[in-house]
Amino acid sequence: MTELGVVFRPQLPPERLRGVVEAAETSGLAELWLWEDCPLTGGIATLAATLAWTSRLRVGIGILPLPLRPVITTAMETATLARLFPDRLTLGVGHGAQDWMAKTGVRPASPLTLMREHLTALTALLDGETVTEDGRHVRLDGVGLDWPPARRPPILVGATKERSLRLSGELADGTVLDQNQPPAAVRRARAAIDEGRAAAGRTDRHELVVYLWAATGPDATERLRRELAEWGVDEVPGLGAAGNADAVAAGVRELAEAGADRVVLVHTADEPDLAGFVRFAAEEVAPLVR
């Protein structure tokens, strides 16, 4: 079964979030995903609000840029939310946009080294361990959480490049692929992830979450075309889905066949009815892909 979700994009003002969250909760949508994107809305703040406004909705953050926070801060915030709202949180982390990491003064010389150190320490801290580490980016001296979660939420890595995908397979519980990855790229990503898992001797489940550009309504095809052109990916074959529920479900199934476990619809910037789009996903598309 393929789980279906929807993204609330941080390019929208944060005061619009609650209406979308309420539509997701009442429509039966499986999960709502949030982005942290410099210099837009903060991921932890929107994550906390979304969880507080709901009682059953699963909420993913995909992604928090690792360089922006010390690992202990990420662990403390995640543990607090996981204890307040058990079993409803998925944590996605990643390199972040390197130009923005440079602008904010936190761009690492080696993003992969930072990711390895942060993932290792973050996992241990959320598992309730006491961590001592003297790395290039993580320095902890006998640090542990007083209030670790009863169950660590899944930690997923946002990645597209081969080395990062292999590292995700090695260390993370899952991977998030952005909305500019067509089915062929999903297959390549799954292969790289599996290489990392094999090298680490991992046999547990590794979930692959893939974002999908999607639009519905009479002008759906044109709105999707404009969005892809804005991102400079309008020439990428097999990207996005536009039209009625059958058309969007077909796009979801393509990604599932390529290796996606969960597909998250990404609305266009000019989506005229975001709450309606959420209900469309939950009530019309989701039954076609279960």
Side-chain angles (χ1 to χ4, degrees), residues 4-69:
L4 191 70
V6 172
V7 161
F8 177 86
R9 294 172 60 178
Q11 287 81 4
L12 298 172
E15 57 268 25
R16 291 192 61 185
L17 175 61
R18 185 159 193 165
V20 175
V21 170
E22 290 173 350
E25 174 84 349
T26 59
S27 67
L29 187 73
E31 52 193 38
L32 186 72
W33 281 74
L34 307 166
W35 292 351
E36 181 170 85
D37 196 352
C38 295
L40 303 171
T41 52
I44 295 296
T46 53
L47 188 59
T50 300
L51 288 164
W53 289 331
T54 57
S55 60
R56 57 140 211 101
L57 185 70
R58 293 199 309 271
V59 186
I61 180 72
I63 61 159
L64 296 178
L66 288 171
L68 285 180
R69 298 174 180 83

Side-chain angles (χ1 to χ4, degrees), residues 14-262:
E15 57 268 25
R16 291 192 61 185
L17 175 61
R18 185 159 193 165
V20 175
V21 170
E22 290 173 350
E25 174 84 349
T26 59
S27 67
L29 187 73
E31 52 193 38
L32 186 72
W33 281 74
L34 307 166
W35 292 351
E36 181 170 85
D37 196 352
C38 295
L40 303 171
T41 52
I44 295 296
T46 53
L47 188 59
T50 300
L51 288 164
W53 289 331
T54 57
S55 60
R56 57 140 211 101
L57 185 70
R58 293 199 309 271
V59 186
I61 180 72
I63 61 159
L64 296 178
L66 288 171
L68 285 180
R69 298 174 180 83
V71 68
I72 185 60
T73 303
T74 305
M76 290 164 58
E77 299 282 14
T78 302
T80 300
L81 291 173
R83 290 181 70 102
L84 288 170
F85 309 102
D87 302 322
R88 291 206 289 130
L89 166 63
T90 299
L91 176 67
V93 297
H95 297 303
Q98 291 304 290
D99 57 343
W100 273 105
M101 298 304 99
K103 288 182 179 182
T104 54
V106 296
R107 181 173 181 170
S110 172
L112 277 172
T113 300
L114 181 144
M115 179 176 281
R116 177 178 292 278
E117 292 182 3
H118 271 245
L119 281 175
T120 302
L122 180 61
T123 301
L125 288 165
L126 291 173
D127 280 338
E129 299 177 19
T130 298
V131 179
T132 296
E133 176 64 42
D134 185 20
R136 290 176 62 184
H137 305 281
V138 173
R139 295 180 177 86
L140 299 172
D141 183 8
V143 175
L145 297 173
D146 282 5
W147 299 106
R151 287 176 297 280
R152 174 173 58 79
I155 301 174
L156 278 59
V157 166
T160 55
K161 295 183 179 179
E162 187 172 343
R163 288 194 298 168
S164 297
L165 290 165
R166 288 201 300 266
L167 184 61
S168 180
E170 177 187 346
L171 295 178
D173 302 310
T175 302
V176 181
L177 293 184
D178 69 36
Q179 64 277 16
N180 296 326
Q181 310 304 310
V186 175
R187 292 187 181 90
R188 290 193 295 270
R190 178 62 88 175
I193 292 164
D194 288 344
E195 287 177 13
R197 286 168 53 75
R202 295 191 66 160
T203 58
D204 54 332
R205 180 175 173 79
H206 186 103
E207 285 204 314
L208 183 56
V209 178
V210 184
Y211 294 149
L212 172 67
W213 286 117
T216 190
D219 57 348
T221 300
E222 177 59 21
R223 287 193 293 110
L224 180 60
R225 185 199 64 76
R226 288 198 303 265
E227 188 75 44
L228 298 182
E230 181 70 21
W231 285 71
V233 292
D234 47 322
E235 299 299 324
V236 177
L239 199 59
N244 61 15
D246 287 329
V248 175
V252 172
R253 284 194 292 269
E254 279 191 87
L255 292 177
E257 290 165 4
D261 299 299
R262 294 148 76 181

